[in-house]
Coordinates of all heavy atoms in Angstrom, one line a residue:
M1 N 120.1 179.4 88.2 CA 120.4 179.9 89.5 C 121.1 178.7 90.3 O 120.7 177.6 90.2 CB 119.2 180.3 90.2 CG 119.5 181.6 91.1 SD 117.9 182.1 91.9 CE 118.3 181.4 93.5
S2 N 122.1 179.1 91.0 CA 122.8 178.0 91.8 C 122.1 177.7 93.1 O 121.4 178.5 93.6 CB 124.2 178.5 92.0 OG 124.3 178.9 93.4
K3 N 122.2 176.5 93.4 CA 121.5 176.0 94.7 C 122.2 176.5 95.9 O 121.7 176.4 97.0 CB 121.5 174.5 94.7 CG 120.6 173.9 93.7 CD 120.5 172.3 93.8 CE 121.9 171.8 93.3 NZ 122.0 170.3 93.4
V4 N 123.5 176.9 95.6 CA 124.3 177.2 96.8 C 124.1 178.7 97.2 O 124.1 179.6 96.4 CB 125.8 177.0 96.5 CG1 126.7 177.3 97.7 CG2 126.1 175.6 96.0
H5 N 123.7 178.8 98.5 CA 123.3 180.1 99.0 C 124.4 181.0 99.5 O 124.2 182.1 100.0 CB 122.2 180.0 100.1 CG 122.8 179.2 101.3 ND1 123.1 177.9 101.2 CD2 123.1 179.6 102.5 CE1 123.6 177.4 102.4 NE2 123.6 178.5 103.2
V6 N 125.6 180.5 99.4 CA 126.8 181.3 99.9 C 127.7 181.5 98.7 O 127.7 180.8 97.7 CB 127.5 180.6 101.1 CG1 126.7 180.6 102.3 CG2 128.0 179.2 100.7
R7 N 128.6 182.5 98.9 CA 129.5 182.8 97.9 C 130.9 182.7 98.4 O 131.1 182.8 99.6 CB 129.4 184.2 97.5 CG 128.1 184.6 96.8 CD 128.3 186.1 96.4 NE 127.0 186.7 96.1 CZ 126.7 188.0 96.0 NH1 127.7 188.8 96.3 NH2 125.5 188.4 95.7
R8 N 131.9 182.6 97.5 CA 133.3 182.6 98.0 C 133.6 183.9 98.7 O 133.1 185.0 98.3 CB 134.2 182.6 96.7 CG 135.6 182.2 96.9 CD 136.2 181.6 95.7 NE 136.3 182.6 94.7 CZ 137.4 183.3 94.5 NH1 138.4 183.3 95.3 NH2 137.4 184.3 93.6
G9 N 134.3 183.7 99.9 CA 134.6 184.9 100.7 C 133.6 185.2 101.8 O 133.9 186.0 102.7
D10 N 132.4 184.6 101.7 CA 131.4 184.7 102.8 C 131.9 184.1 104.1 O 132.6 183.0 104.1 CB 130.1 184.0 102.4 CG 129.3 184.8 101.4 OD1 129.6 186.0 101.2 OD2 128.3 184.3 100.9
T11 N 131.5 184.6 105.2 CA 131.8 184.0 106.5 C 130.6 183.2 106.9 O 129.4 183.7 106.8 CB 132.1 185.0 107.6 OG1 133.3 185.8 107.2 CG2 132.4 184.3 108.9
V12 N 130.7 181.9 107.1 CA 129.7 181.1 107.4 C 129.8 180.3 108.7 O 131.0 180.2 109.2 CB 129.4 180.0 106.3 CG1 129.0 180.7 105.0 CG2 130.7 179.1 106.1
M13 N 128.8 179.8 109.2 CA 128.8 179.0 110.4 C 128.2 177.6 110.1 O 127.3 177.5 109.4 CB 128.0 179.6 111.6 CG 128.1 178.7 112.8 SD 127.2 179.4 114.2 CE 128.6 180.3 115.0
V14 N 129.0 176.6 110.6 CA 128.5 175.2 110.4 C 127.3 174.9 111.4 O 127.5 175.2 112.5 CB 129.7 174.2 110.6 CG1 129.2 172.8 110.3 CG2 130.9 174.6 109.7
I15 N 126.3 174.4 110.8 CA 125.1 174.2 111.6 C 124.8 172.7 111.9 O 124.0 172.4 112.7 CB 123.8 174.8 111.0 CG1 123.7 174.5 109.6 CG2 123.9 176.4 111.2 CD1 122.3 174.7 109.0
S16 N 125.6 171.8 111.2 CA 125.4 170.4 111.6 C 126.7 169.7 111.3 O 127.6 170.2 110.6 CB 124.2 169.8 110.9 OG 124.6 169.7 109.5
G17 N 126.8 168.5 111.9 CA 128.0 167.7 111.7 C 129.1 167.9 112.8 O 128.8 168.6 113.7
K18 N 130.2 167.3 112.6 CA 131.3 167.3 113.6 C 131.8 168.7 113.9 O 132.4 169.0 114.9 CB 132.3 166.3 113.3 CG 133.2 166.7 112.1 CD 134.3 165.6 111.9 CE 135.1 165.8 110.6 NZ 136.1 166.8 110.5
D19 N 131.7 169.6 112.9 CA 132.3 170.9 113.0 C 131.2 172.0 113.4 O 131.4 173.1 113.2 CB 133.0 171.3 111.7 CG 134.4 170.6 111.6 OD1 135.0 170.4 112.7 OD2 134.7 170.3 110.5
K20 N 130.1 171.5 113.9 CA 129.0 172.4 114.2 C 129.5 173.5 115.1 O 130.2 173.3 116.1 CB 128.0 171.6 115.0 CG 126.7 172.3 115.2 CD 125.7 171.4 115.9 CE 124.4 172.1 116.3 NZ 123.4 171.2 116.9
G21 N 129.1 174.7 114.8 CA 129.4 175.9 115.6 C 130.7 176.6 115.2 O 131.0 177.7 115.6
K22 N 131.4 176.0 114.2 CA 132.7 176.6 113.7 C 132.4 177.6 112.6 O 131.4 177.4 111.9 CB 133.6 175.6 113.1 CG 134.5 174.8 114.1 CD 135.6 174.1 113.4 CE 136.3 173.2 114.3 NZ 137.3 172.3 113.5
T23 N 133.1 178.6 112.6 CA 132.9 179.6 111.5 C 134.2 179.7 110.7 O 135.3 179.4 111.2 CB 132.7 181.1 112.1 OG1 133.7 181.4 112.9 CG2 131.3 181.1 112.8
G24 N 134.0 180.1 109.5 CA 135.1 180.2 108.6 C 134.7 180.9 107.3 O 133.5 181.1 107.1
K25 N 135.7 181.2 106.4 CA 135.5 181.8 105.2 C 135.3 180.7 104.1 O 136.1 179.8 104.0 CB 136.6 182.7 104.8 CG 136.3 184.2 105.1 CD 137.3 185.0 104.4 CE 136.9 186.5 104.7 NZ 137.9 187.4 104.3
V26 N 134.3 181.0 103.2 CA 134.1 180.1 102.1 C 135.3 180.3 101.1 O 135.5 181.4 100.6 CB 132.8 180.4 101.4 CG1 132.6 179.4 100.2 CG2 131.6 180.2 102.4
A27 N 136.0 179.2 100.9 CA 137.1 179.2 99.9 C 136.7 178.8 98.5 O 137.2 179.4 97.6 CB 138.2 178.3 100.5
V28 N 135.9 177.8 98.4 CA 135.5 177.3 97.2 C 134.0 177.0 97.2 O 133.5 176.4 98.2 CB 136.3 175.9 96.8 CG1 135.8 175.4 95.5 CG2 137.7 176.2 96.8
V29 N 133.3 177.3 96.1 CA 131.9 176.9 96.0 C 131.8 176.0 94.8 O 132.3 176.4 93.7 CB 131.0 178.1 95.9 CG1 129.5 177.7 95.5 CG2 131.0 179.1 97.1
S30 N 131.1 174.9 94.9 CA 130.9 174.0 93.8 C 129.4 173.9 93.5 O 128.8 173.0 94.1 CB 131.5 172.7 94.0 OG 131.2 171.8 93.0
P31 N 128.8 174.7 92.7 CA 127.3 174.8 92.5 C 126.8 173.4 91.9 O 125.8 173.0 92.3 CB 127.1 175.9 91.5 CG 128.3 176.7 91.5 CD 129.4 175.8 91.9
T32 N 127.6 172.8 91.1 CA 127.2 171.5 90.5 C 127.0 170.5 91.5 O 126.1 169.6 91.4 CB 128.2 171.1 89.4 OG1 129.5 171.1 89.9 CG2 128.1 172.0 88.2
E33 N 127.9 170.4 92.5 CA 127.7 169.4 93.6 C 126.9 169.9 94.7 O 126.6 169.2 95.7 CB 129.1 169.0 94.1 CG 130.0 168.3 93.1 CD 131.3 168.0 93.6 OE1 132.1 169.0 93.9 OE2 131.6 166.8 93.9
G34 N 126.7 171.2 94.8 CA 126.0 171.8 96.0 C 126.9 171.8 97.2 O 126.4 171.7 98.3
K35 N 128.2 171.9 96.9 CA 129.2 171.7 98.0 C 130.0 173.0 98.2 O 130.2 173.8 97.2 CB 130.1 170.6 97.9 CG 129.4 169.2 98.2 CD 130.3 168.1 98.0 CE 129.7 166.8 98.5 NZ 130.6 165.6 98.4
V36 N 130.6 173.2 99.4 CA 131.5 174.3 99.6 C 132.7 173.8 100.3 O 132.7 172.7 101.0 CB 130.8 175.4 100.4 CG1 129.7 176.1 99.7 CG2 130.3 174.9 101.8
I37 N 133.8 174.5 100.3 CA 134.9 174.3 101.1 C 135.1 175.5 101.9 O 135.2 176.7 101.4 CB 136.2 174.0 100.3 CG1 136.1 172.6 99.5 CG2 137.5 174.0 101.1 CD1 137.2 172.3 98.6
V38 N 135.2 175.3 103.2 CA 135.3 176.4 104.2 C 136.6 176.3 104.9 O 137.0 175.3 105.4 CB 134.1 176.4 105.2 CG1 134.2 177.6 106.1 CG2 132.7 176.3 104.6
E39 N 137.4 177.5 104.9 CA 138.7 177.5 105.5 C 138.6 177.1 106.9 O 137.8 177.6 107.7 CB 139.2 178.9 105.5 CG 139.7 179.4 104.1 CD 140.1 180.8 104.0 OE1 140.2 181.5 105.1 OE2 140.3 181.3 102.9
G40 N 139.5 176.1 107.3 CA 139.6 175.6 108.6 C 138.5 174.7 109.1 O 138.5 174.4 110.3
V41 N 137.6 174.4 108.3 CA 136.4 173.6 108.7 C 136.5 172.3 107.9 O 136.8 172.2 106.7 CB 135.1 174.3 108.4 CG1 133.9 173.4 108.7 CG2 135.1 175.5 109.3
N42 N 136.0 171.2 108.6 CA 136.0 169.9 107.9 C 137.3 169.5 107.5 O 137.5 169.0 106.3 CB 134.9 169.8 106.8 CG 134.6 168.4 106.4 OD1 134.6 167.5 107.2 ND2 134.3 168.3 105.1
M43 N 138.3 169.6 108.3 CA 139.7 169.2 108.0 C 139.8 167.7 107.8 O 139.3 166.9 108.6 CB 140.7 169.6 109.1 CG 140.7 171.1 109.3 SD 141.1 172.1 107.8 CE 142.9 171.7 107.7
V44 N 140.4 167.3 106.7 CA 140.6 165.9 106.4 C 142.1 165.7 106.2 O 142.8 166.5 105.7 CB 139.7 165.4 105.2 CG1 138.2 165.4 105.5 CG2 140.0 166.2 104.0
T45 N 142.4 164.4 106.5 CA 143.9 164.1 106.3 C 144.0 163.5 104.9 O 143.3 162.5 104.6 CB 144.3 163.1 107.4 OG1 143.9 163.7 108.7 CG2 145.8 162.9 107.4
K46 N 144.9 163.9 104.2 CA 145.1 163.4 102.9 C 146.6 162.9 102.8 O 147.6 163.5 103.3 CB 145.0 164.5 101.8 CG 143.6 164.8 101.5 CD 143.5 165.9 100.4 CE 142.0 166.1 100.2 NZ 141.9 167.4 99.3
H47 N 146.7 161.7 102.2 CA 148.0 161.1 102.0 C 148.5 161.6 100.6 O 147.8 161.4 99.6 CB 147.9 159.7 102.0 CG 147.5 159.2 103.4 ND1 148.5 158.8 104.4 CD2 146.3 159.0 103.9 CE1 147.9 158.5 105.5 NE2 146.5 158.6 105.2
V48 N 149.6 162.2 100.6 CA 150.1 162.8 99.4 C 151.4 162.0 98.9 O 152.3 161.8 99.7 CB 150.5 164.3 99.6 CG1 151.0 164.9 98.3 CG2 149.3 165.0 100.0
K49 N 151.4 161.7 97.7 CA 152.6 160.9 97.2 C 153.5 162.0 96.5 O 153.0 162.9 96.0 CB 152.1 160.0 96.0 CG 151.5 158.7 96.6 CD 151.3 157.7 95.4 CE 150.5 156.6 95.9 NZ 149.8 155.8 94.8
P50 N 154.8 161.7 96.7 CA 155.7 162.6 96.1 C 155.5 162.6 94.6 O 155.5 161.5 94.0 CB 157.1 162.1 96.5 CG 156.9 160.9 97.3 CD 155.4 160.6 97.4
R51 N 155.4 163.7 93.9 CA 155.1 163.8 92.5 C 156.3 163.8 91.7 O 156.4 163.3 90.6 CB 154.2 165.0 92.2 CG 152.8 164.7 92.6 CD 151.8 165.7 92.0 NE 150.5 165.5 92.6 CZ 149.9 166.5 93.3 NH1 150.4 167.7 93.3 NH2 148.8 166.3 93.9
K52 N 157.3 164.5 92.2 CA 158.6 164.5 91.4 C 159.7 164.3 92.5 O 159.5 164.3 93.6 CB 158.8 165.8 90.7 CG 158.6 167.0 91.6 CD 158.7 168.2 90.7 CE 158.7 169.5 91.6 NZ 157.5 170.2 91.6
Q53 N 160.9 164.0 91.9 CA 162.0 163.7 92.7 C 162.4 164.9 93.6 O 162.3 166.1 93.2 CB 163.3 163.4 91.9 CG 164.0 162.2 92.5 CD 165.2 161.8 91.6 OE1 165.4 162.4 90.6 NE2 166.0 160.8 92.1
G54 N 162.6 164.6 94.9 CA 162.9 165.7 95.8 C 161.7 166.3 96.5 O 161.8 167.0 97.5
D55 N 160.6 165.9 95.9 CA 159.3 166.3 96.6 C 159.0 165.5 97.8 O 159.3 164.3 97.8 CB 158.2 166.0 95.5 CG 157.2 167.2 95.5 OD1 157.6 168.3 95.9 OD2 156.1 167.0 94.9
Q56 N 158.5 166.1 98.8 CA 158.1 165.3 100.0 C 156.7 164.8 99.9 O 155.8 165.6 99.9 CB 158.4 166.1 101.2 CG 159.9 166.0 101.6 CD 160.1 166.1 103.1 OE1 159.3 166.8 103.8 NE2 161.1 165.5 103.7
G57 N 156.5 163.5 100.0 CA 155.2 163.1 100.2 C 154.8 163.1 101.7 O 155.6 163.6 102.5
G58 N 153.7 162.6 102.0 CA 153.4 162.5 103.4 C 151.9 162.8 103.7 O 151.1 162.7 102.8
I59 N 151.7 163.2 104.9 CA 150.3 163.4 105.2 C 150.0 164.9 105.4 O 150.8 165.6 106.1 CB 150.0 162.7 106.6 CG1 150.1 161.2 106.4 CG2 148.5 163.0 107.1 CD1 150.2 160.4 107.6
V60 N 149.0 165.4 104.7 CA 148.7 166.8 104.9 C 147.3 166.9 105.3 O 146.5 166.1 105.0 CB 148.9 167.6 103.5 CG1 150.4 167.7 103.2 CG2 148.1 167.1 102.4
K61 N 147.0 168.0 106.0 CA 145.6 168.3 106.4 C 145.1 169.3 105.4 O 145.7 170.3 105.1 CB 145.6 168.8 107.8 CG 145.8 167.7 108.8 CD 145.1 168.0 110.1 CE 144.9 166.7 110.8 NZ 143.8 166.9 111.8
A62 N 143.9 169.1 104.9 CA 143.3 170.0 104.0 C 141.8 170.1 104.3 O 141.2 169.2 104.9 CB 143.5 169.6 102.6
E63 N 141.2 171.1 103.9 CA 139.7 171.2 104.1 C 139.0 170.3 103.0 O 139.3 170.3 101.9 CB 139.2 172.7 103.9 CG 139.7 173.6 105.0 CD 141.0 174.4 104.6 OE1 141.6 174.0 103.7 OE2 141.3 175.3 105.3
G64 N 138.0 169.6 103.5 CA 137.2 168.8 102.7 C 135.9 169.5 102.3 O 135.5 170.4 103.0
A65 N 135.4 169.1 101.1 CA 134.2 169.7 100.7 C 133.0 169.3 101.6 O 133.0 168.1 102.0 CB 133.9 169.4 99.2
M66 N 132.1 170.1 101.8 CA 130.9 169.7 102.5 C 129.6 170.3 101.9 O 129.7 171.2 101.1 CB 131.0 170.2 104.0 CG 131.2 171.7 104.2 SD 131.8 172.1 105.8 CE 130.4 171.6 106.8
Y67 N 128.5 169.7 102.2 CA 127.3 170.2 101.6 C 127.0 171.6 102.0 O 127.0 171.9 103.2 CB 126.1 169.3 101.9 CG 126.1 168.1 101.1 CD1 126.6 166.8 101.6 CD2 125.9 168.1 99.7 CE1 126.6 165.7 100.8 CE2 125.9 167.0 98.9 CZ 126.4 165.8 99.5 OH 126.4 164.7 98.7
A68 N 126.6 172.5 101.1 CA 126.3 173.8 101.4 C 125.2 174.0 102.4 O 125.0 174.9 103.2 CB 126.0 174.6 100.2
S69 N 124.3 173.0 102.5 CA 123.1 173.0 103.4 C 123.6 172.9 104.8 O 122.8 173.2 105.7 CB 122.1 171.9 103.0 OG 122.8 170.6 103.2
K70 N 124.8 172.5 105.1 CA 125.3 172.4 106.4 C 125.9 173.7 107.0 O 126.3 173.8 108.1 CB 126.4 171.3 106.5 CG 125.9 169.9 106.5 CD 127.0 168.9 106.8 CE 126.4 167.5 106.9 NZ 127.5 166.6 107.3
V71 N 125.9 174.7 106.1 CA 126.4 176.0 106.6 C 125.3 177.1 106.4 O 124.5 177.0 105.5 CB 127.7 176.4 105.9 CG1 128.8 175.4 106.0 CG2 127.5 176.7 104.4
M72 N 125.5 178.0 107.3 CA 124.6 179.2 107.1 C 125.5 180.4 107.2 O 126.6 180.5 107.8 CB 123.6 179.3 108.3 CG 122.3 178.6 108.0 SD 121.2 178.9 109.5 CE 120.3 180.4 109.0
L73 N 125.1 181.5 106.5 CA 125.8 182.7 106.5 C 125.8 183.2 107.9 O 124.9 183.1 108.7 CB 125.0 183.7 105.6 CG 125.9 184.7 104.8 CD1 126.8 183.9 103.9 CD2 125.1 185.6 104.0
Y74 N 127.0 183.7 108.3 CA 127.2 184.2 109.7 C 127.3 185.7 109.7 O 128.0 186.4 108.9 CB 128.5 183.6 110.2 CG 128.9 184.0 111.6 CD1 128.3 183.4 112.7 CD2 129.9 184.9 111.8 CE1 128.6 183.7 114.0 CE2 130.2 185.3 113.1 CZ 129.5 184.7 114.2 OH 129.9 185.1 115.4
C75 N 126.5 186.2 110.6 CA 126.5 187.7 110.8 C 127.4 188.1 112.0 O 127.2 187.7 113.1 CB 125.1 188.2 111.1 SG 125.1 190.0 111.4
A76 N 128.4 188.8 111.7 CA 129.5 189.2 112.7 C 128.8 190.2 113.7 O 129.2 190.3 114.8 CB 130.6 189.9 112.0
K77 N 127.8 190.9 113.3 CA 127.1 191.9 114.2 C 126.3 191.1 115.2 O 126.2 191.4 116.4 CB 126.3 192.8 113.4 CG 126.3 194.2 113.9 CD 125.7 195.2 113.0 CE 125.2 196.4 113.6 NZ 124.5 197.3 112.7
C78 N 125.4 190.2 114.7 CA 124.6 189.4 115.6 C 125.3 188.3 116.3 O 124.8 187.8 117.3 CB 123.5 188.8 114.8 SG 122.4 189.8 113.9
K79 N 126.5 188.0 115.8 CA 127.3 186.9 116.3 C 126.5 185.5 116.2 O 126.5 184.7 117.2 CB 127.8 187.1 117.7 CG 128.8 188.3 117.7 CD 129.6 188.3 119.0 CE 130.8 189.2 119.0 NZ 130.7 190.4 118.2
K80 N 125.7 185.4 115.2 CA 125.0 184.1 115.0 C 124.7 183.9 113.5 O 124.8 184.9 112.8 CB 123.8 184.1 115.8 CG 122.7 185.1 115.5 CD 121.6 185.1 116.5 CE 120.6 186.2 116.3 NZ 119.6 186.3 117.4
P81 N 124.4 182.6 113.2 CA 124.0 182.4 111.8 C 122.7 183.1 111.5 O 121.9 183.2 112.3 CB 123.9 180.9 111.7 CG 123.8 180.4 113.1 CD 124.4 181.4 114.0
T82 N 122.6 183.5 110.2 CA 121.4 184.3 109.9 C 120.9 183.9 108.5 O 121.6 183.3 107.7 CB 121.7 185.8 110.0 OG1 120.5 186.5 109.7 CG2 122.8 186.1 108.9
R83 N 119.8 184.3 108.2 CA 119.3 184.3 106.8 C 119.5 185.7 106.2 O 119.7 186.7 106.9 CB 117.8 184.0 106.8 CG 117.5 182.6 107.1 CD 116.0 182.3 107.0 NE 115.8 180.9 107.6 CZ 116.0 179.8 107.1 NH1 116.5 179.8 105.8 NH2 115.8 178.7 107.6
I84 N 119.5 185.7 104.9 CA 119.7 187.0 104.3 C 118.5 187.4 103.4 O 117.7 186.7 103.1 CB 121.0 187.0 103.3 CG1 120.8 185.8 102.3 CG2 122.3 186.9 104.1 CD1 121.7 185.9 101.1
S85 N 118.4 188.7 103.3 CA 117.4 189.3 102.4 C 118.2 190.2 101.4 O 119.3 190.7 101.7 CB 116.3 189.9 103.1 OG 116.7 191.0 103.9
K86 N 117.6 190.5 100.4 CA 118.2 191.4 99.4 C 117.6 192.8 99.5 O 116.4 193.0 99.7 CB 118.1 190.9 98.0 CG 119.0 189.6 97.9 CD 119.3 189.4 96.4 CE 120.3 188.2 96.4 NZ 120.0 187.3 95.4
K87 N 118.5 193.8 99.4 CA 118.0 195.1 99.6 C 118.9 196.0 98.7 O 120.0 195.7 98.4 CB 118.3 195.6 101.0 CG 117.1 196.0 101.8 CD 117.5 196.5 103.2 CE 116.3 196.9 104.0 NZ 116.8 197.3 105.4
A88 N 118.3 197.2 98.3 CA 119.2 198.1 97.5 C 119.8 199.0 98.5 O 119.2 199.5 99.5 CB 118.3 198.9 96.6
N89 N 121.2 199.3 98.3 CA 121.8 200.2 99.2 C 121.8 201.6 98.7 O 121.1 201.8 97.7 CB 123.3 199.7 99.4 CG 124.2 199.9 98.1 OD1 123.7 200.4 97.1 ND2 125.4 199.4 98.2
K90 N 122.5 202.5 99.3 CA 122.4 203.9 98.9 C 122.8 204.1 97.5 O 122.3 205.1 96.8 CB 123.3 204.7 99.8 CG 122.7 204.9 101.2 CD 123.7 205.6 102.1 CE 123.4 205.4 103.6 NZ 124.5 205.3 104.4
K91 N 123.7 203.3 96.9 CA 124.1 203.5 95.6 C 123.1 202.8 94.6 O 123.3 202.8 93.4 CB 125.5 202.9 95.3 CG 126.6 203.7 96.0 CD 127.9 203.1 95.6 CE 128.8 202.9 96.8 NZ 129.9 202.0 96.6
G92 N 122.1 202.2 95.1 CA 121.1 201.5 94.3 C 121.6 200.1 93.9 O 120.9 199.4 93.0
E93 N 122.6 199.6 94.5 CA 123.1 198.3 94.2 C 122.4 197.3 95.2 O 122.1 197.5 96.3 CB 124.6 198.1 94.5 CG 125.4 199.0 93.5 CD 126.8 199.2 94.1 OE1 127.0 199.0 95.4 OE2 127.7 199.5 93.4
L94 N 122.0 196.1 94.6 CA 121.4 195.1 95.4 C 122.4 194.4 96.3 O 123.4 193.9 95.8 CB 120.7 194.0 94.4 CG 119.5 193.4 94.9 CD1 118.4 194.3 95.4 CD2 119.0 192.4 93.9
V95 N 122.2 194.5 97.5 CA 123.1 193.9 98.5 C 122.4 192.9 99.3 O 121.2 193.0 99.4 CB 123.9 195.0 99.4 CG1 124.8 195.8 98.6 CG2 122.8 195.8 100.1
R96 N 123.2 192.0 100.0 CA 122.6 191.0 100.9 C 122.7 191.5 102.3 O 123.7 191.9 102.7 CB 123.3 189.7 100.7 CG 123.1 189.2 99.3 CD 123.9 187.9 99.1 NE 125.3 188.1 99.6 CZ 126.1 187.2 99.9 NH1 125.8 185.9 99.7 NH2 127.4 187.4 100.3
V97 N 121.6 191.5 103.0 CA 121.6 192.0 104.4 C 121.1 191.0 105.3 O 120.3 190.0 105.0 CB 120.8 193.3 104.6 CG1 121.4 194.4 103.7 CG2 119.3 193.1 104.2
C98 N 121.6 191.1 106.5 CA 121.1 190.1 107.6 C 119.6 190.5 107.9 O 119.2 191.7 108.1 CB 122.0 190.5 108.9 SG 121.4 189.6 110.4
T99 N 118.8 189.4 108.0 CA 117.4 189.6 108.2 C 117.1 190.1 109.7 O 116.1 190.7 109.9 CB 116.6 188.4 108.0 OG1 117.2 187.3 108.7 CG2 116.5 188.0 106.6
H100 N 118.1 189.9 110.6 CA 117.9 190.3 112.0 C 118.3 191.7 112.2 O 117.5 192.5 112.8 CB 118.8 189.4 112.9 CG 118.4 187.9 112.9 ND1 117.2 187.5 113.3 CD2 119.1 186.9 112.4 CE1 117.2 186.2 113.1 NE2 118.3 185.8 112.6
C101 N 119.5 192.1 111.8 CA 120.0 193.4 112.2 C 120.1 194.4 111.0 O 120.4 195.6 111.1 CB 121.3 193.3 112.9 SG 122.7 192.8 111.8
G102 N 120.0 193.8 109.8 CA 120.0 194.7 108.6 C 121.5 195.0 108.2 O 121.7 195.8 107.2
A103 N 122.5 194.4 108.8 CA 123.9 194.7 108.4 C 124.1 194.1 107.0 O 123.6 193.0 106.7 CB 124.8 194.1 109.4
E104 N 124.9 194.8 106.2 CA 125.3 194.2 104.9 C 126.2 193.1 105.1 O 127.2 193.1 105.9 CB 126.0 195.3 104.1 CG 125.2 195.9 103.0 CD 126.0 196.9 102.2 OE1 127.0 196.5 101.6 OE2 125.6 198.1 102.2
L105 N 126.0 192.1 104.4 CA 126.9 190.8 104.4 C 127.7 190.7 103.1 O 127.3 191.1 102.1 CB 126.0 189.6 104.7 CG 125.4 189.6 106.0 CD1 124.3 188.5 106.1 CD2 126.3 189.4 107.2
Ligands
LIG1 ZN1 122.9 190.5 111.9

């Protein structure tokens, strides 16, 4: 089982660090490192070298990986970070729901 409690595509809120309070979608999950990359969060500046002729090098901004423990799943209905529980939906599939309002996440 992976240590990372979020999945790619989840909306999460940052709960600590410089981007505390920001929300974004999980773009990449790295279970081996216990890290995630969240769209628009933890932007870092990278210096890029031109790889081939005609390519422009320079400075680009990109999302940096951050520890998954710094983010919590965000419930759009409660408008706050939440914990999840697992429940079977009408089709009998196991889904993740918000522990506060019961909305499917
Ligand atoms: Zn909720």
Side-chain angles (χ1 to χ4, degrees):
M1 216 180 102
S2 100
K3 289 182 291 183
V4 182
H5 61 292
V6 293
R7 294 184 198 163
R8 197 156 64 90
D10 281 348
T11 302
V12 294
M13 180 177 268
V14 182
I15 50 164
S16 70
K18 69 178 169 80
D19 287 324
K20 189 176 173 180
K22 276 193 188 173
T23 58
K25 260 193 175 171
V26 177
V28 178
V29 176
S30 172
T32 48
E33 292 178 293
K35 285 182 172 179
V36 293
I37 291 177
V38 183
E39 285 174 10
V41 174
N42 196 30
M43 299 303 287
V44 291
T45 311
K46 283 182 180 168
H47 296 266
V48 179
K49 279 184 190 162
R51 285 197 191 120
K52 51 181 187 257
Q53 219 176 2
D55 223 16
Q56 274 208 332
I59 295 166
V60 293
K61 286 209 158 200
E63 290 96 346
M66 60 196 293
Y67 283 105
S69 59
K70 284 191 172 183
V71 302
M72 269 183 90
L73 216 60
Y74 179 76
C75 177
K77 213 170 162 185
C78 299
K79 295 194 163 38
K80 61 186 177 190
T82 184
R83 286 179 193 283
I84 52 162
S85 59
K86 290 201 172 138
K87 241 184 180 173
N89 69 5
K90 284 172 199 146
K91 286 186 234 162
E93 296 160 339
L94 208 58
V95 293
R96 299 174 309 161
V97 297
C98 170
T99 50
H100 296 296
C101 69
E104 250 182 64
L105 294 168

